[in-house]
Amino acid sequence: GGRLDCGGGAAAIETSGRDCTDLADNLAAARLVLKRTREEWRQRLAKLQQEASAELEWANLPTARRMLKANTDDMQQAVQMFLQALEMRAQNAQLYRTMRCEARSDIRILGKDVEGHPVVYMCAGSQQQTLRNMRDQWVVTFEAACKLAGDMGTVAFVIDMHGLKPHLNMDLGAMKELADVLGTVYAERICRITIVDFSRAAQVIWWMLKPLLRPVTREKFAFVGKAQATELCRRYFDDQLLDVVCQTFEVNRSATASAAERAAHARATTFGTPLS
């Protein structure tokens, strides 16, 4: 019936003997592969269980309420979004656990506005790496701001586009990754996003990003010049925070300020511990 005779009797031909040896070697190698795979899988399962346990702490009632709100009380869609958010957090478990990454641009928390919203500032002119390489810094900064905001709190953004380098931000895949994180992990976490000095060159980036954002997120963007941004900040910020923002606008537009001076200003006006 096609079965190989490995009895090794007098009638066994030499070819069959070689086949039997090859089969034994193959089975031994397969057993070794199976053993090592099972050991590696057990180690991975243990790590996944540890990471999943940490993320289950994030999966709490306030987060569930945010998911429901983001999906206009559609329970099934809320569950799917919640699961997607948990998967994203589990994939970046070490980043969320350590809350440490390399600072690749001036992205920082400035403080809280008069309504208690943490304010995240980003200077496009300071960007030296691609958008994909800045992803971790965005996530860590947003996560820290959400912890300041509390379980149901929201975060305000001031993004200064002066000095933008468009070629560093044309990665559609990186945009989608950030948009997915914003729309799931940080659903219903954005209060407002003020875009300052939005240039014609930046419009291409916006056209790429806009379709990736949920409509409710797109509505929170305001595109203004520096003077109008200052007036908006005056409405929401106390005198101290307003002074910090105005100084920051000036430093980042100064033709004489060195990179070291800009970095020193950023460290001095960061709320909390600056990234290294």
Side-chain angles (χ1 to χ4, degrees):
R3 181 172 61 84
L4 181 63
D5 179 10
C6 296
I13 62 175
E14 183 180 351
T15 300
S16 296
R18 286 200 302 269
D19 288 344
C20 289
T21 301
D22 290 345
L23 178 61
D25 290 344
N26 183 268
L27 287 173
R31 290 190 184 98
L32 186 58
V33 167
L34 178 60
K35 178 183 178 182
R36 291 181 178 177
T37 300
R38 284 177 171 173
E39 290 173 351
E40 178 69 23
W41 183 244
R42 288 191 191 97
Q43 292 174 7
R44 292 190 183 186
L45 280 178
K47 183 178 179 181
L48 284 171
Q49 287 173 348
Q50 182 180 7
E51 293 173 351
S53 176
E55 293 314 316
L56 283 175
E57 295 179 7
W58 178 81
N60 54 29
L61 193 56
T63 308
R65 289 175 60 198
R66 288 195 294 105
M67 298 297 165
L68 266 176
K69 184 179 179 182
N71 290 280
T72 58
D73 293 331
D74 185 315
M75 292 181 63
Q76 184 58 36
Q77 289 184 10
V79 169
Q80 294 304 313
M81 178 182 283
F82 210 157
L83 288 171
Q84 186 181 357
L86 282 168
E87 287 174 358
M88 287 184 177
R89 290 185 69 94
Q91 290 167 6
N92 296 277
Q94 183 175 358
L95 184 65
Y96 283 113
R97 183 172 60 254
T98 62
M99 290 293 289
R100 301 296 298 172
C101 69
E102 184 179 347
R104 299 181 182 274
S105 181
D106 182 8
I107 306 173
R108 54 197 161 97
I109 300 172
L110 296 180
K112 290 185 177 182
D113 67 15
V114 293
E115 296 175 341
H117 305 292
V119 178
V120 173
Y121 172 84
M122 186 266 182
C123 171
S126 68
Q127 183 180 354
Q128 301 298 326
Q129 299 282 336
T130 63
L131 182 63
R132 184 173 297 279
N133 288 330
M134 290 170 55
R135 175 188 169 279
D136 287 359
Q137 188 178 359
W138 271 113
V139 170
V140 167
T141 306
F142 201 170
E143 180 74 5
C146 287
K147 289 180 178 180
L148 281 174
D151 287 335
M152 296 298 291
T154 55
V155 178
F157 288 84
V158 176
I159 302 178
D160 188 355
M161 303 296 277
H162 179 80
L164 173 73
K165 306 174 185 68
H167 67 282
L168 294 177
N169 296 280
M170 303 299 287
D171 186 338
L172 186 61
M175 286 187 190
K176 187 177 185 309
E177 285 183 22
L178 275 174
D180 287 345
V181 172
L182 286 177
T184 55
V185 177
Y186 300 111
E188 297 298 322
R189 280 297 207 177
I190 297 174
C191 170
R192 60 183 176 274
I193 303 175
T194 304
I195 307 293
V196 186
D197 281 353
F198 190 69
S199 65
R200 286 184 177 274
Q203 288 181 4
V204 177
I205 299 172
W206 174 242
W207 291 336
M208 294 171 65
L209 178 62
K210 187 176 179 181
L212 303 176
L213 300 172
R214 297 171 60 239
V216 68
T217 303
R218 293 200 296 264
E219 293 171 0
K220 293 175 180 178
F221 279 75
F223 299 89
V224 297
K226 174 174 166 286
Q228 191 177 354
T230 302
E231 291 307 309
L232 282 174
C233 290
R234 196 184 306 279
R235 181 190 311 173
Y236 293 111
F237 299 170
D238 61 22
D239 291 342
Q240 182 179 357
L241 187 55
L242 178 64
D243 187 53
V244 167
V245 171
C246 290
Q247 285 182 29
T248 301
F249 285 161
E250 294 306 320
V251 167
N252 290 331
R253 283 161 177 76
S254 172
T256 59
S258 66
E261 288 172 332
R262 292 189 179 96
H265 171 78
R267 287 192 297 272
T269 56
T270 297
F271 186 89
T273 304
L275 291 175
S276 57

